[in-house]
Amino acid sequence: MRKLIAFDEDTFDKLKQLGRDRMATFQELADEAFADLLKKHGIPIDLRDALRKSARLDSESSKLAARPKVRKAKSR
């Protein structure tokens, strides 16, 4: 899917220079930036990420359910 994004001239020049320095295309820079943004907010990037996150949540919930509840002794 294609979307139009506007950058001010100075930002675009810096992004082009970063791409040249890293020998990366503008698309590769954008892919990396959006992947980092999604990761920051805890949104899975692809199916593998979603499955990994789901498995982690399942194991955490099973650990919580397996813990015995500890009662405090009544003080007299």
Side-chain angles (χ1 to χ4, degrees), residues 1-37:
M1 178 182 303
R2 293 182 183 266
K3 294 289 180 181
L4 182 64
I5 300 174
F7 293 101
D8 61 83
E9 200 167 317
D10 187 44
T11 301
F12 186 69
D13 289 340
K14 289 177 182 177
L15 288 170
K16 284 193 318 189
Q17 186 61 46
L18 178 63
R20 283 189 211 115
D21 293 346
R22 293 182 54 193
M23 296 181 64
T25 65
F26 187 79
Q27 182 64 52
E28 291 168 337
L29 293 176
D31 289 343
E32 180 181 347
F34 286 117
D36 289 346
L37 181 65

Side-chain angles (χ1 to χ4, degrees), residues 44-56:
I45 298 167
D46 57 8
L47 178 60
R48 179 178 286 167
D49 248 6
L51 292 173
R52 192 175 294 131
K53 185 175 182 179
S54 174
R56 190 171 38 235

